[in-house]
Coordinates of all heavy atoms in Angstrom, one line a residue:
M1336 N 9.0 -46.6 -19.9 CA 9.9 -46.4 -18.8 C 11.3 -46.3 -19.3 O 11.6 -46.8 -20.4 CB 9.9 -47.6 -17.8 CG 8.6 -47.7 -17.0 SD 8.6 -49.1 -15.9 CE 9.9 -48.7 -14.8
N1337 N 12.2 -45.6 -18.6 CA 13.6 -45.6 -18.9 C 14.3 -46.6 -18.0 O 14.2 -46.6 -16.8 CB 14.2 -44.2 -18.6 CG 13.6 -43.2 -19.4 OD1 13.4 -43.4 -20.6 ND2 13.4 -42.0 -18.9
I1338 N 15.0 -47.6 -18.6 CA 15.5 -48.7 -17.9 C 17.0 -48.9 -18.3 O 17.3 -48.9 -19.5 CB 14.7 -50.0 -18.2 CG1 13.3 -49.8 -17.8 CG2 15.4 -51.2 -17.6 CD1 12.3 -50.8 -18.4
T1339 N 17.9 -49.1 -17.3 CA 19.3 -49.4 -17.6 C 19.5 -50.9 -17.2 O 19.2 -51.3 -16.1 CB 20.2 -48.5 -16.7 OG1 20.0 -47.2 -17.1 CG2 21.6 -48.9 -17.0
L1340 N 20.1 -51.6 -18.2 CA 20.5 -53.0 -18.0 C 22.0 -53.0 -17.8 O 22.8 -52.4 -18.6 CB 20.1 -53.8 -19.2 CG 18.6 -53.9 -19.6 CD1 18.4 -54.6 -20.9 CD2 17.9 -54.6 -18.5
I1341 N 22.5 -53.8 -16.8 CA 23.9 -54.0 -16.6 C 24.2 -55.4 -16.9 O 23.7 -56.3 -16.3 CB 24.3 -53.6 -15.1 CG1 23.9 -52.2 -14.8 CG2 25.8 -53.9 -14.9 CD1 24.0 -51.8 -13.4
G1342 N 25.0 -55.6 -18.0 CA 25.3 -57.0 -18.4 C 24.7 -57.3 -19.7 O 23.5 -57.0 -20.0
T1343 N 25.5 -57.9 -20.6 CA 25.1 -58.2 -21.9 C 25.0 -59.7 -22.2 O 25.0 -60.2 -23.4 CB 26.1 -57.6 -22.9 OG1 27.4 -58.1 -22.6 CG2 26.0 -56.1 -22.9
G1344 N 24.8 -60.5 -21.1 CA 24.7 -61.9 -21.3 C 23.3 -62.4 -21.6 O 22.5 -61.6 -22.2
N1345 N 23.0 -63.6 -21.2 CA 21.6 -64.1 -21.5 C 20.5 -63.2 -21.0 O 19.6 -62.9 -21.7 CB 21.5 -65.5 -20.9 CG 22.4 -66.5 -21.5 OD1 22.7 -66.5 -22.7 ND2 23.0 -67.3 -20.6
M1346 N 20.6 -62.8 -19.7 CA 19.5 -62.1 -19.1 C 19.5 -60.7 -19.7 O 18.4 -60.2 -20.1 CB 19.8 -62.0 -17.6 CG 19.6 -63.3 -16.9 SD 18.0 -64.1 -17.0 CE 17.1 -63.1 -15.9
G1347 N 20.6 -60.0 -19.9 CA 20.7 -58.7 -20.4 C 20.1 -58.7 -21.8 O 19.3 -57.8 -22.2
S1348 N 20.5 -59.6 -22.6 CA 20.0 -59.7 -24.0 C 18.5 -59.9 -24.1 O 17.8 -59.3 -24.9 CB 20.7 -60.9 -24.8 OG 22.1 -60.7 -24.7
A1349 N 18.0 -60.8 -23.2 CA 16.6 -61.2 -23.2 C 15.8 -60.0 -22.8 O 14.7 -59.6 -23.4 CB 16.3 -62.4 -22.4
F1350 N 16.3 -59.3 -21.7 CA 15.5 -58.1 -21.2 C 15.5 -57.0 -22.3 O 14.5 -56.3 -22.5 CB 16.2 -57.6 -20.0 CG 15.6 -58.2 -18.7 CD1 16.5 -58.9 -17.9 CD2 14.3 -58.1 -18.4 CE1 16.0 -59.5 -16.7 CE2 13.8 -58.8 -17.2 CZ 14.7 -59.4 -16.4
A1351 N 16.7 -56.8 -23.0 CA 16.7 -55.8 -24.0 C 15.7 -56.1 -25.1 O 15.0 -55.2 -25.5 CB 18.2 -55.7 -24.6
Q1352 N 15.6 -57.3 -25.5 CA 14.7 -57.6 -26.6 C 13.2 -57.4 -26.2 O 12.5 -56.8 -26.9 CB 14.9 -59.1 -27.0 CG 13.9 -59.6 -28.1 CD 14.1 -61.0 -28.4 OE1 14.7 -61.8 -27.7 NE2 13.5 -61.4 -29.5
Q1353 N 12.9 -57.9 -25.0 CA 11.5 -57.8 -24.5 C 11.1 -56.4 -24.2 O 10.0 -55.9 -24.6 CB 11.3 -58.7 -23.3 CG 11.5 -60.2 -23.6 CD 10.3 -60.7 -24.4 OE1 9.2 -60.4 -24.2 NE2 10.7 -61.5 -25.4
L1354 N 12.0 -55.7 -23.5 CA 11.7 -54.3 -23.1 C 11.5 -53.4 -24.4 O 10.7 -52.5 -24.5 CB 12.7 -53.7 -22.2 CG 12.7 -54.4 -20.8 CD1 14.0 -54.0 -20.0 CD2 11.5 -54.0 -20.0
S1355 N 12.4 -53.6 -25.3 CA 12.4 -52.9 -26.6 C 11.1 -53.2 -27.3 O 10.4 -52.2 -27.8 CB 13.5 -53.3 -27.5 OG 13.3 -53.0 -28.8
Q1356 N 10.7 -54.4 -27.3 CA 9.5 -54.8 -28.0 C 8.2 -54.1 -27.5 O 7.3 -53.8 -28.2 CB 9.3 -56.3 -27.9 CG 8.3 -57.0 -28.8 CD 8.4 -58.5 -28.6 OE1 9.4 -59.1 -28.5 NE2 7.2 -59.1 -28.7
F1357 N 8.3 -53.8 -26.2 CA 7.1 -53.2 -25.5 C 7.3 -51.6 -25.4 O 6.6 -51.0 -24.6 CB 6.8 -53.8 -24.2 CG 6.2 -55.2 -24.4 CD1 7.0 -56.3 -24.3 CD2 4.8 -55.3 -24.7 CE1 6.4 -57.6 -24.6 CE2 4.3 -56.6 -24.9 CZ 5.1 -57.7 -24.9
G1358 N 8.3 -51.1 -26.1 CA 8.4 -49.6 -26.3 C 9.1 -48.9 -25.2 O 9.1 -47.7 -25.1
H1359 N 9.8 -49.6 -24.3 CA 10.6 -48.9 -23.3 C 11.9 -48.4 -23.8 O 12.4 -48.9 -24.8 CB 10.9 -49.9 -22.1 CG 9.7 -50.4 -21.4 ND1 8.9 -49.6 -20.6 CD2 9.0 -51.6 -21.5 CE1 7.9 -50.3 -20.2 NE2 7.9 -51.5 -20.7
Q1360 N 12.4 -47.3 -23.2 CA 13.7 -46.8 -23.5 C 14.8 -47.5 -22.7 O 14.7 -47.4 -21.5 CB 13.8 -45.3 -23.2 CG 12.9 -44.4 -24.1 CD 13.4 -44.4 -25.6 OE1 14.6 -44.5 -25.8 NE2 12.5 -44.4 -26.5
V1361 N 15.7 -48.1 -23.4 CA 16.7 -49.0 -22.6 C 18.1 -48.5 -22.9 O 18.5 -48.3 -24.0 CB 16.5 -50.5 -23.1 CG1 17.5 -51.4 -22.4 CG2 15.1 -51.0 -22.9
R1362 N 18.8 -48.4 -21.8 CA 20.3 -48.2 -21.8 C 20.9 -49.5 -21.4 O 20.5 -50.2 -20.4 CB 20.7 -47.1 -20.9 CG 20.3 -45.8 -21.3 CD 20.5 -44.8 -20.1 NE 20.4 -43.4 -20.7 CZ 21.3 -42.5 -20.6 NH1 22.4 -42.7 -20.0 NH2 21.1 -41.3 -21.1
I1363 N 22.0 -49.9 -22.1 CA 22.6 -51.2 -21.8 C 24.1 -50.9 -21.7 O 24.7 -50.2 -22.4 CB 22.3 -52.3 -22.7 CG1 22.8 -53.7 -22.2 CG2 22.8 -52.1 -24.2 CD1 22.1 -54.9 -22.7
T1364 N 24.7 -51.5 -20.6 CA 26.1 -51.4 -20.5 C 26.7 -52.8 -20.0 O 26.0 -53.6 -19.6 CB 26.5 -50.3 -19.4 OG1 27.9 -50.1 -19.4 CG2 26.0 -50.7 -18.0
G1365 N 28.0 -52.9 -20.2 CA 28.7 -54.1 -19.8 C 30.2 -53.9 -19.8 O 30.6 -52.8 -20.3
R1366 N 30.9 -54.8 -19.4 CA 32.4 -54.6 -19.3 C 33.0 -54.6 -20.7 O 34.1 -54.1 -21.0 CB 33.1 -55.5 -18.4 CG 32.9 -57.0 -18.7 CD 33.5 -57.8 -17.6 NE 33.1 -59.2 -17.7 CZ 33.5 -60.2 -16.9 NH1 34.4 -59.9 -16.0 NH2 33.1 -61.4 -17.0
D1367 N 32.3 -55.3 -21.7 CA 32.7 -55.2 -23.1 C 31.7 -54.3 -23.9 O 30.6 -54.7 -24.2 CB 32.6 -56.7 -23.7 CG 33.1 -56.7 -25.1 OD1 33.1 -55.7 -25.8 OD2 33.4 -57.8 -25.6
L1368 N 32.2 -53.1 -24.1 CA 31.3 -52.1 -24.7 C 30.9 -52.5 -26.2 O 29.8 -52.2 -26.6 CB 32.0 -50.7 -24.7 CG 31.0 -49.5 -24.9 CD1 29.8 -49.5 -24.0 CD2 31.8 -48.2 -24.7
D1369 N 31.8 -53.1 -26.9 CA 31.5 -53.6 -28.2 C 30.3 -54.5 -28.2 O 29.5 -54.5 -29.1 CB 32.7 -54.3 -28.9 CG 33.8 -53.3 -29.2 OD1 33.6 -52.1 -29.3 OD2 35.0 -53.8 -29.4
K1370 N 30.3 -55.4 -27.3 CA 29.2 -56.3 -27.1 C 27.9 -55.6 -26.9 O 26.8 -55.9 -27.4 CB 29.5 -57.3 -26.0 CG 29.0 -58.7 -26.1 CD 29.7 -59.5 -25.1 CE 28.9 -60.7 -24.7 NZ 29.6 -61.5 -23.6
A1371 N 28.0 -54.6 -26.0 CA 26.8 -53.7 -25.7 C 26.3 -53.0 -27.0 O 25.1 -53.0 -27.2 CB 27.1 -52.7 -24.6
H1372 N 27.2 -52.5 -27.7 CA 26.8 -51.8 -29.0 C 26.2 -52.8 -30.0 O 25.2 -52.4 -30.6 CB 28.0 -51.1 -29.6 CG 28.3 -49.7 -29.0 ND1 27.5 -48.6 -29.1 CD2 29.4 -49.3 -28.2 CE1 28.0 -47.6 -28.4 NE2 29.1 -48.0 -27.9
A1373 N 26.8 -53.9 -30.1 CA 26.2 -54.9 -31.0 C 24.8 -55.3 -30.6 O 24.0 -55.5 -31.5 CB 27.2 -56.2 -31.1
L1374 N 24.6 -55.4 -29.3 CA 23.3 -55.8 -28.9 C 22.3 -54.7 -29.1 O 21.2 -54.9 -29.6 CB 23.4 -56.1 -27.4 CG 22.1 -56.6 -26.7 CD1 21.6 -57.9 -27.4 CD2 22.4 -57.0 -25.2
A1375 N 22.7 -53.4 -28.8 CA 21.8 -52.3 -29.0 C 21.4 -52.1 -30.5 O 20.3 -51.8 -30.8 CB 22.5 -51.0 -28.5
A1376 N 22.4 -52.5 -31.4 CA 22.1 -52.3 -32.8 C 21.0 -53.2 -33.3 O 20.4 -53.0 -34.3 CB 23.4 -52.6 -33.6
Q1377 N 20.7 -54.3 -32.5 CA 19.7 -55.2 -32.9 C 18.2 -54.8 -32.6 O 17.3 -55.4 -33.0 CB 19.9 -56.6 -32.3 CG 21.2 -57.2 -32.7 CD 21.4 -58.5 -31.9 OE1 20.5 -59.3 -31.7 NE2 22.6 -58.7 -31.4
H1378 N 18.1 -53.8 -31.7 CA 16.8 -53.4 -31.2 C 16.5 -51.9 -31.3 O 17.4 -51.1 -31.1 CB 16.7 -53.9 -29.7 CG 17.0 -55.3 -29.5 ND1 16.2 -56.3 -30.0 CD2 18.0 -55.9 -28.9 CE1 16.7 -57.5 -29.7 NE2 17.8 -57.3 -29.0
Q1379 N 15.2 -51.6 -31.5 CA 14.8 -50.2 -31.4 C 14.8 -49.8 -29.9 O 14.6 -50.6 -29.0 CB 13.3 -50.1 -31.8 CG 13.0 -50.5 -33.2 CD 13.4 -49.4 -34.2 OE1 13.2 -48.3 -33.9 NE2 13.9 -49.8 -35.4
N1380 N 15.1 -48.5 -29.7 CA 15.0 -47.9 -28.4 C 16.1 -48.4 -27.4 O 15.9 -48.3 -26.2 CB 13.6 -48.1 -27.7 CG 12.5 -47.6 -28.6 OD1 12.7 -46.6 -29.4 ND2 11.4 -48.3 -28.6
V1381 N 17.1 -49.1 -27.9 CA 18.1 -49.6 -27.0 C 19.5 -48.9 -27.4 O 19.8 -48.9 -28.6 CB 18.3 -51.1 -27.1 CG1 19.4 -51.6 -26.2 CG2 17.0 -51.8 -26.8
E1382 N 20.1 -48.3 -26.4 CA 21.4 -47.6 -26.7 C 22.4 -48.1 -25.7 O 22.1 -48.4 -24.6 CB 21.2 -46.1 -26.4 CG 20.5 -45.4 -27.5 CD 20.5 -43.9 -27.2 OE1 21.4 -43.2 -27.7 OE2 19.5 -43.4 -26.5
A1383 N 23.6 -48.2 -26.2 CA 24.8 -48.7 -25.4 C 25.5 -47.5 -24.8 O 25.7 -46.5 -25.5 CB 25.7 -49.6 -26.2
F1384 N 25.9 -47.7 -23.6 CA 26.7 -46.7 -22.9 C 27.9 -47.3 -22.1 O 27.7 -48.4 -21.6 CB 25.9 -45.9 -21.9 CG 24.9 -45.0 -22.6 CD1 23.6 -45.5 -22.9 CD2 25.2 -43.7 -22.8 CE1 22.7 -44.6 -23.5 CE2 24.2 -42.8 -23.4 CZ 23.0 -43.3 -23.8
A1385 N 28.9 -46.6 -21.9 CA 30.0 -47.0 -21.0 C 29.3 -47.0 -19.6 O 28.4 -46.2 -19.3 CB 31.2 -46.0 -21.1
A1386 N 29.9 -47.8 -18.7 CA 29.3 -48.0 -17.4 C 29.1 -46.6 -16.7 O 28.1 -46.4 -16.0 CB 30.1 -48.9 -16.6
D1387 N 30.1 -45.7 -16.8 CA 30.0 -44.5 -16.0 C 29.0 -43.5 -16.6 O 28.7 -42.5 -16.0 CB 31.4 -43.9 -15.8 CG 32.0 -43.5 -17.2 OD1 31.5 -43.9 -18.2 OD2 33.0 -42.7 -17.1
Q1388 N 28.4 -43.8 -17.8 CA 27.4 -43.0 -18.4 C 26.0 -43.6 -18.4 O 25.0 -42.9 -18.7 CB 27.8 -42.8 -19.9 CG 29.2 -42.3 -20.2 CD 29.3 -40.8 -19.9 OE1 28.4 -40.0 -20.2 NE2 30.4 -40.4 -19.2
A1389 N 26.0 -44.8 -18.1 CA 24.7 -45.6 -18.3 C 23.6 -45.2 -17.3 O 22.4 -45.3 -17.7 CB 25.0 -47.1 -18.2
L1390 N 23.9 -44.7 -16.2 CA 22.9 -44.4 -15.2 C 22.4 -42.9 -15.3 O 21.4 -42.6 -14.7 CB 23.4 -44.6 -13.8 CG 23.7 -46.1 -13.5 CD1 24.2 -46.2 -12.1 CD2 22.5 -47.0 -13.7
G1391 N 23.1 -42.1 -16.1 CA 22.7 -40.7 -16.3 C 21.4 -40.6 -16.9 O 20.5 -39.8 -16.7
Ligands
NAP2374 N1 19.7 -67.2 -17.6 C1 18.7 -67.4 -16.8 O1 17.7 -68.0 -17.2 C2 18.7 -66.9 -15.4 C3 17.5 -67.1 -14.6 C4 17.5 -66.7 -13.3 C5 18.6 -66.0 -12.8 N2 19.7 -65.9 -13.6 C6 20.9 -65.2 -12.9 O2 21.1 -64.0 -13.7 C7 22.5 -63.7 -13.7 C8 23.0 -63.6 -15.1 O3 22.7 -64.8 -15.8 P1 23.0 -64.9 -17.4 O4 22.4 -66.2 -17.8 O5 22.6 -63.6 -18.1 O6 24.6 -65.0 -17.4 P2 25.6 -64.7 -18.5 O7 25.0 -64.9 -19.9 O8 26.9 -65.4 -18.1 O9 25.9 -63.1 -18.4 C9 26.5 -62.6 -17.3 C10 26.8 -61.1 -17.5 O10 27.5 -60.6 -16.4 C11 28.8 -60.0 -16.8 N3 29.8 -60.3 -15.7 C12 30.1 -61.5 -15.2 N4 31.1 -61.3 -14.3 C13 31.4 -60.0 -14.2 C14 32.3 -59.2 -13.5 N5 33.1 -59.7 -12.6 N6 32.2 -57.8 -13.7 C15 31.4 -57.3 -14.6 N7 30.5 -58.0 -15.3 C16 30.5 -59.3 -15.1 C17 29.1 -60.7 -18.1 O11 30.0 -59.9 -18.8 P3 30.8 -60.5 -20.0 O12 29.8 -60.6 -21.2 O13 31.8 -59.4 -20.3 O14 31.4 -61.8 -19.6 C18 27.7 -60.8 -18.7 O15 27.4 -59.6 -19.3 C19 23.2 -64.9 -13.0 O16 23.4 -64.5 -11.7 C20 22.2 -66.0 -13.1 O17 22.3 -66.9 -12.0 C21 19.8 -66.3 -14.8

């Protein structure tokens, strides 16, 4: 599935890890884009986007 996560805190991080592990395509965004990129770099199939791009 293609899934967008909003927020890079505990829940966003945990969802990114688990969804990535099971092969889903994940977009993640948050008000701190550096944090989103750092999180995305830790997982396969996870990409960080600015909020206005994340739902596309
Ligand atoms: N953790 C759990 O086990 C758990 C379980 C059930 C439900 N929940 C609920 O899930 C939600 C998130 O929990 P969490 O543990 O992931 O919290 P968290 O680690 O504090 O993360 C909250 C996220 O929301 C963002 N955020 C907060 N205020 C914002 C605002 N005004 N505008 C835009 N973004 C904002 C934060 O951005 P920054 O990183 O920029 O601060 C962060 O990405 C909460 O409502 C919590 O009650 C959590």
Side-chain angles (χ1 to χ4, degrees):
M1336 289 178 68
N1337 296 323
I1338 297 164
T1339 296
L1340 299 173
I1341 301 171
T1343 55
N1345 296 319
M1346 294 298 285
S1348 302
F1350 274 120
Q1352 180 183 13
Q1353 293 292 313
L1354 293 168
S1355 159
Q1356 194 173 322
F1357 287 97
H1359 297 287
Q1360 291 292 328
V1361 178
R1362 291 171 167 235
I1363 190 158
T1364 188
R1366 56 185 169 179
D1367 181 344
L1368 197 52
D1369 288 341
K1370 213 165 154 182
H1372 278 292
L1374 185 57
Q1377 296 175 42
H1378 305 295
Q1379 297 281 324
N1380 308 324
V1381 179
E1382 287 183 89
F1384 289 86
D1387 62 347
Q1388 305 285 317
L1390 297 178

